[in-house]
Structure formats: C-alpha cells, structure tokens
Amino acid sequence: MDKFRMIFQFLQSNQESFMNGICGIMALASAQMYSAFDFNCPCLPRYNLAYGLGILLVPPLILFLLGFVLNNNVSMLAEEWRRPQGQRGKDPAVLRYMFCSMAQRAMIAPVVWVSVTLLDGKCITCAFCTAVPVETLGNASHPDLSQEEMKLVLARIPCKEIYDGQELIANEVAIRYLRCISQALGWCFVLLMTTLAFLVRSLRPCFTQAAFLKSRYWSHYIDIERKLFDETCTEHARSFAKVCIQQFFEGMSTDLAATRCHLPSKAPADAGEAAEKLLGITDRGTMNTALKSWHRCKPPLHLHPPALPTGNGWAGEGQPPVQPPVPRREMAAYYSRV
Amino acid sequence: MDRFRMIFQYFQSNSESVMNGICGLLALASVKMYTCFDFSCPCLPRYNMAYGLGIIFVPPVALFLCGLILNRQSLLMLEEWRRPQGRRKKDLAVIRYLCSSIMQRAMVAPVVWIIVTLLDGKCLICALSDSVDPKKFVGFANSSPVQVQQLLAKVPCKDDELMRNNTSRKAVSRYLRCWSQALGWSILLILIVAVFLARWLRPCFNQAALLQARHWSNYIDIEQKIFEETCCEHSRLFAHKCILHFFESMQEEIKLRSFSLPREGEEAEREEDLLQGITDQDRVNKLLKTWYYEKPALDISLATQR
C-alpha cells in the first residue's frame, strides 16, 4: 500500500497542476487554431455579419464544451450529483465548488480565442464593414448610390481585390478604422476578464474562507475515495480470479484423478492470503450487490468501530437514514436459498 | 520524518524561485505579445490619441493584474489580513512585507511593456502626431488648420496615398520617435537607479525587523502547504477506512466467514495515530472551521514538554 500511497499523494498534489497544464495546452491550441484557420470573408451584405459573428462566437462555445469533456472530474461531479442519498447526505456547497473550479478552467481557451480574434481584427472588419460612417470618413455625397447599392459596395471592403468604392471611401481608411475599433474592443475585453479573475480570486479569502476550506477538503475526499474504491475492487478482482482459477484446477485434478494435471503449485499460505484479500466476498451475486450498494447507498462519513451505521450524513446530526435497508433484506433472502 | 524534511526544504527553497520564474515568464510573454500585436494606427484626428495612449496603458494594467493573480503569495497575504485573530495575533509588518514583495514582482511585466513600447516608438508617434506644432515642419506650415490636423493625423500611416512620399511626414515621424526613445531610456535609467539604491540602502534601515518579517512570511507559506498536505493524507486514510468499513458491514449482514482486518497490530495503530481521532464528518468540519477561525498560537513549547 506504500506504493499506492505515494502515487495518490503525487496525483493529489499534481491534480491541480495537471489540470492547469491541460488548461494551458488548450489555450495555446486555441491561439494556434486561429492562426491556422483560413479566414475567408464572403463580402456580401448580410452574410458578412453572420460569418464574422459566427467565427467570433461559435468556436469559443466548442472550446468551452471541450474543456469540460477533457476534465476528468466531470464524471465525478455528475456521479455525486445524481447518486441516491443513502446514508450520506449531499452537500450543495461541494457540488458548487467542483462545478466552479471546472468552469473556471474551461473558460480560459474560449477567452483566448475571443481575445486573439478581436486583436487581430479580421472578424470585426468583416462583420461590421457595412456600418462604417461614410459621412465622416469618406464622401457621402454620391447621389447615384441607393442605400442597398452602398451597402453592396461597403460589403466588399474586406476583399481588397474586388473593392470598387475608392471614391466613396478609401479602402485603407475604412480597414484602419474598423481594425482600431476591433483592437480597442479586444483590449477592453482582456482587461475586463483579468479584472474579473482578479476579483474572483481575491474576494474569496475576504468572505468565505472557512466554507471554502470545507468544500475543498470534501471534494478532494470524494476524488480520493473513488480512486481508492477502484483500487480495492481491482485488488479484489485479482484475488477472486486467483482463487477461482485455483479452485478450477483443484476441481479438474480431483475429477480426472490424474497426476499429469499439476496444480499451479501455490503453497497453502498463498491461498490463505488471497482468500483473505477477498474480504469475504466470494461470488458474483455478492460482488454485484456490493457494487450496487456502493452506488445506491454510500456509507456515512463516520469511522467508529461499530459496524452498524449510525446515520450521520452530510446534512447534520441526528438525521435518520433516508432509505430503509430494503436491499439488504433482499440479499439475505437470496443467500438463504444457498 | 526524513521525507517531510526533504519536502520542507524543497518548498522553502523553491517558493521564491517559482515566483521569480513566473515573473520572468510574464515579462517575456509581455515582449512576445508586443511583437505579435499588429499595431494599426487609425490615422484619424481624435482616434489617434485614444488608440495610442490605450495601447501604452491598458495592456500594462492587464499584465499587472495577471501578475497578482498568478502569485501565490497574494492569496496568502489576503488570508492573513482577513482572518479572525483567534489565539494568534496579527503582525502588520509581515502583511506589509508580503504586500511589497507581491507588488514588486507584479510591476515587472507592465514596466517591460511600457519600455518596449516607448523604445519602439510607434505608439507615441500615433498618439502625438496631431499634437505636433506644424510650424516647425515645412510641409505643414502653409495649410489651413483643419487640413493640417488631417495631414498630421495621417503621419503614422506610411502607406497612405497622401503620405507616401512626403518628406515632412518622415521629419515628424523621426522627431516623435526621438522623443519616444529618449523617454523610454530615461524611464529605464531612473528605474534601474531606484532599484539599485533600494537594494543597497535597505540594510541600513531596520534590518532586524526585515529579517523577522521575512521569516514569518516564509513560515506562513510553509504552514499553509503543510496543512494542505496533512489534509490530503488525512482524507486518504479516511477514505481507506471508510471503504474497509463498508465491505465489513456488507459481510456482517450476509454473515459469511468472520472478517479480520488485513492489517492489524503496528500498522493499524500507526494509521489510527495519523487519523488522530478525527473519524467522522462533523469532526473534520469542526477541525477546518477551527483552523480558520482560531489559528493556534505560535508556541510549541507546551507540545514538546508533553
């Protein structure tokens, strides 16, 4: 178990740095994706706005969802949220803590995409080129052009090769103007996000530190408990398999009564050790019941020796267990047949 | 205990170097961001000043906030400042020391941005091109004021059709760039001299108080880390016992062969010791609440006498 202890400590201390690493990689991937993406403005009046805003807003949504998908703790949160109460109440503060920490990490890549997009300027130039103030920047005194025709001309601003409105408004002037607006928006967005992050981080110690310590402890606990349970089940499965195979070979050798079929020569001491590790669970039905019971009715967070649970759940002291022990009666009935 | 000692030494030596490393990385990121950023002056009369000054001042604020966010000590300082007094008095000198150390590190990246911007010159040319006195430059002296404003605003844009071969544009550009670089180098010189003086003269003023403040701020940092480590260890043991008890209770109900704990004797006792009698949820919650509301006194002589 020493080896497991070291691994768990490593994972625990590095869980945060592992998630931060994934977060950083996604942010870099997001910037790289943008530079690799071949932006292609349609240069048509209504399509420009749709395309530009689509490129600005849809990839961040995808990156946000991807951030959740890549986070290992999502399944842990879902499990804790949906499990039946059993003997252990549910603490909404812990669920909120887990969700908030995941959401904060998932927000980073979308914010990077939006910032890079705005600072680059192509999207906003494409989306809002028909809204350029021609009166101030160019010659609005073109009587021949109707509104629609002017929009058609302005929509071609991002496509320098086909732009034919040089007398109306110079292409470079319009692009510089739009890009300036876009970059100003970008920097304001970056400043806003950094200020929000700073406030979120610095207001917590001022107001909710005690509750935070509690939520953090129990959310780490849930994670460790899940991993340890999986480890215990794996060990159990290994011992089960060992004993099962031994019994099979023993059975074979007694059936055939042949000397050719040698037992995999394990000493009785080994068999005893494996059997001990089985923790008394020696058949499939019992194991299935154990796994079902682990999900339906998690044990209370109370380690005093008496095996009968006293029902101290999350919600407070003195609350009786919500579910009556119906499944156990079923098990006893099952076994009485054997 | 050897393991703990190694961990202490690791944390002690690396806390400062981790923070210095982050500070350096932010400064490099700041330079990289500037070179990647596609500076595009709008070349319009009022927009130039807003854009230019915005680029000089807004990113440094964002970098400063980033520097505060990424620094672990800022959380420590806030926690120490806001905690209830409990049985441990608060030492304002420690909080001041932490605050100044955080501020110094967070200021590096913004200062690097400002200096790089000024030395490059594009920002100041953009911001101040229409505030230049047109009489000093031949090409602009003979036009009407409105036209002059328009022309001066277009100075930063070399490719503009009006400005392409205009020698006066180059004159204004050189003039502003010279001022910008002079300002940049002066700021750099003043800062370096200030830092130099601060470092050399600090031991002359109240060195003993400084040593104390530094010691106790390191102590708070290490204490926090060890508390987190101990909580991890505790929750691992808690989980282990909980799962074993779960399997135990399963067996007792189906009444199979008697279950004996796989490990008895010394190791079980050691684990009990490590759990320190905190074996249910309410006690853990109480422990965490007490840790926050009433930090223990900094006096371990009673513990050692026991």
Side-chain angles (χ1 to χ4, degrees):
Chain A
M1 278 310 263
D2 256 355
K3 180 173 63 122
F4 289 129
R5 189 182 308 171
M6 269 166 42
I7 292 176
F8 285 144
Q9 274 180 350
F10 173 79
L11 277 178
Q12 183 62 49
S13 63
N14 278 28
Q15 173 90 329
E16 300 274 327
S17 33
F18 178 69
M19 292 315 307
N20 288 342
I22 294 225
C23 196
I25 288 176
M26 274 193 64
L28 286 174
S30 158
Q32 185 61 32
M33 248 167 70
Y34 182 80
S35 46
F37 175 64
D38 188 14
F39 189 87
N40 214 339
C41 193
C43 293
L44 295 164
R46 275 177 295 278
Y47 287 68
N48 276 4
L49 186 67
Y51 186 82
L53 290 183
I55 297 294
L56 185 65
L57 298 172
V58 168
L61 187 64
I62 295 175
L63 287 168
F64 182 68
L65 293 172
L66 195 63
F68 272 103
V69 162
L70 291 179
N71 194 332
N72 297 340
N73 293 346
V74 163
S75 54
M76 184 173 83
L77 172 65
E79 219 178 274
E80 177 64 16
W81 185 34
R82 300 300 302 165
R83 68 171 172 92
Q85 185 139 315
Q87 295 170 351
R88 184 189 289 185
K90 288 203 250 200
D91 189 357
V94 173
L95 292 171
R96 267 199 308 267
Y97 170 82
M98 290 202 280
F99 180 74
C100 282
S101 80
M102 281 194 277
Q104 282 168 23
R105 288 197 170 88
M107 285 284 279
I108 293 189
V111 164
V112 167
W113 175 278
V114 172
S115 312
V116 169
T117 306
L118 288 174
L119 291 177
D120 187 37
K122 286 191 290 230
C123 262
I124 296 287
T125 306
C126 183
F128 294 107
C129 53
T130 46
V132 166
V134 184
E135 308 80 38
T136 38
L137 297 177
N139 314 322
S141 55
H142 249 262
D144 324 27
L145 287 177
S146 68
Q147 268 309 77
E148 284 300 318
E149 279 170 4
M150 189 145 73
K151 278 208 188 319
L152 210 61
V153 168
L154 288 176
R156 295 206 192 108
I157 287 175
C159 303
K160 295 194 187 107
E161 319 83 54
I162 58 172
Y163 184 64
D164 55 355
Q166 205 67 9
E167 312 82 46
L168 183 62
I169 178 172
N171 189 290
E172 303 85 36
V173 171
I175 288 188
R176 274 199 305 262
Y177 175 80
L178 288 165
R179 195 180 238 176
C180 156
I181 302 273
S182 173
Q183 287 180 343
L185 276 174
W187 282 119
C188 290
F189 179 75
V190 167
L191 187 64
L192 181 70
M193 288 291 127
T194 358
T195 313
L196 268 174
F198 174 72
L199 284 175
V200 162
R201 224 170 128 90
S202 55
L203 289 181
R204 193 246 300 147
C206 302
F207 295 111
T208 54
Q209 182 70 353
F212 168 76
L213 284 177
K214 205 171 79 151
S215 310
R216 191 174 64 174
Y217 179 89
W218 290 115
S219 88
H220 285 167
Y221 172 81
I222 292 170
D223 190 25
I224 290 179
E225 192 191 48
R226 195 173 67 136
K227 287 181 182 128
L228 265 175
F229 184 75
D230 288 342
E231 278 294 328
T232 314
C233 285
T234 312
E235 253 192 64
H236 185 274
R238 185 174 298 139
S239 309
F240 200 113
K242 224 185 210 176
V243 173
C244 203
I245 293 169
Q246 270 172 15
Q247 286 177 352
F248 169 72
F249 278 105
E250 274 169 10
M252 290 281 295
S253 75
T254 45
D255 279 354
L256 298 177
T259 51
R260 280 190 301 274
C261 206
H262 290 291
L263 282 170
S265 48
K266 296 272 184 240
D270 250 5
E273 190 190 311
E276 241 181 52
K277 283 195 181 158
L278 285 177
L279 307 172
I281 296 177
T282 49
D283 66 79
R284 178 161 74 168
T286 324
M287 191 65 212
N288 283 346
T289 315
L291 292 171
K292 203 153 78 174
S293 183
W294 179 257
H295 171 68
R296 285 236 181 99
C297 189
K298 282 224 159 72
L301 291 165
H302 192 89
L303 294 182
H304 286 171
L308 291 174
T310 50
N312 278 351
W314 290 99
E317 295 179 352
Q319 233 183 14
V322 176
Q323 278 181 6
V326 168
R328 297 174 195 163
R329 266 189 243 128
E330 280 177 13
M331 265 171 7
Y334 172 82
Y335 270 90
S336 66
R337 266 185 245 143
V338 175
Chain B
M1 279 319 272
D2 262 353
R3 184 171 60 109
F4 281 122
R5 194 179 314 154
M6 269 167 43
I7 293 176
F8 293 167
Q9 278 175 346
Y10 172 78
F11 282 140
Q12 172 100 37
S13 62
N14 272 34
S15 191
E16 295 270 327
S17 34
V18 163
M19 286 184 306
N20 287 343
I22 292 191
C23 181
L25 275 175
L26 257 185
L28 285 175
S30 157
V31 174
K32 180 78 179 150
M33 250 165 67
Y34 183 80
T35 47
C36 289
F37 176 62
D38 190 10
F39 188 87
S40 167
C41 194
C43 294
L44 297 163
R46 277 177 300 278
Y47 287 70
N48 275 7
M49 174 81 92
Y51 185 81
L53 292 183
I55 298 293
I56 294 185
F57 292 118
V58 168
V61 174
L63 285 167
F64 179 72
L65 291 173
C66 268
L68 290 178
I69 291 170
L70 293 175
N71 195 338
R72 217 190 104 87
Q73 273 190 342
S74 51
L75 270 181
L76 263 178
M77 182 199 81
L78 279 171
E79 279 169 20
E80 178 66 16
W81 183 37
R82 300 296 302 169
R83 68 170 172 94
Q85 182 142 313
R87 288 185 289 166
R88 184 189 289 185
K89 287 201 206 70
K90 286 202 251 200
D91 188 355
L92 284 176
V94 171
I95 296 176
R96 271 198 305 266
Y97 174 84
L98 280 172
C99 192
S100 78
S101 134
I102 291 164
M103 291 289 167
Q104 284 165 24
R105 286 196 173 90
M107 288 290 277
V108 172
V111 163
V112 166
W113 175 278
I114 291 177
I115 289 180
V116 168
T117 306
L118 289 174
L119 291 179
D120 187 36
K122 285 188 294 226
C123 263
L124 221 62
I125 294 176
C126 184
L128 298 179
S129 69
D130 51 356
S131 321
V132 158
D133 184 6
K135 295 190 189 61
K136 289 191 187 156
F137 302 98
V138 174
F140 301 117
N142 298 327
S143 318
S144 70
V146 173
Q147 263 187 331
V148 157
Q149 282 296 309
Q150 296 270 352
L151 282 175
L152 281 174
K154 287 198 195 297
V155 159
C157 298
K158 293 184 224 180
D159 301 326
D160 193 85
E161 45 197 358
L162 290 173
M163 288 281 142
R164 215 159 273 160
N165 293 318
N166 194 331
T167 44
S168 308
R169 178 201 72 81
K170 290 182 192 155
V172 174
S173 188
R174 273 201 305 269
Y175 172 77
L176 286 170
R177 185 175 255 152
C178 154
W179 270 107
S180 170
Q181 289 180 342
L183 194 60
W185 283 116
S186 313
I187 291 179
L188 188 58
L189 183 66
I190 291 173
L191 276 174
I192 297 275
V193 167
V195 168
F196 175 79
L197 285 176
R199 261 180 103 92
W200 275 89
L201 296 180
R202 193 161 57 175
C204 306
F205 298 100
N206 219 344
Q207 180 70 351
L210 176 71
L211 285 176
Q212 281 175 6
R214 195 167 65 183
H215 176 268
W216 289 114
S217 72
N218 270 346
Y219 171 80
I220 295 171
D221 190 13
I222 291 179
E223 193 191 47
Q224 172 90 308
K225 283 178 185 140
I226 293 179
F227 182 72
E228 283 169 13
E229 276 265 323
T230 314
C231 278
C232 278
E233 180 79 19
H234 187 273
S235 69
R236 196 200 62 83
L237 287 169
F238 200 116
H240 183 54
K241 292 258 167 189
C242 201
I243 291 168
L244 282 182
H245 280 197
F246 170 74
F247 280 106
E248 217 181 279
S249 67
M250 292 279 309
Q251 281 175 35
E252 290 200 9
E253 279 156 28
I254 60 178
K255 288 190 175 29
L256 280 180
R257 79 184 91 123
S258 62
F259 171 75
S260 56
L261 279 170
R263 272 183 303 287
E264 278 179 335
E266 270 186 38
E267 199 165 338
E269 269 177 25
R270 194 163 55 92
E271 282 197 355
E272 288 286 343
D273 268 339
L274 289 170
L275 274 176
Q276 315 219 15
I278 296 167
T279 48
D280 68 64
Q281 187 199 356
D282 288 336
R283 285 190 205 173
V284 171
N285 284 344
K286 187 156 191 303
L287 171 117
L288 292 170
K289 205 156 89 168
T290 314
W291 177 257
Y292 176 66
Y293 281 108
E294 280 182 30
K295 281 231 160 71
L298 288 168
D299 184 356
I300 56 173
S301 54
L302 291 172
T304 51
Q305 275 166 21
R306 250 182 266 139

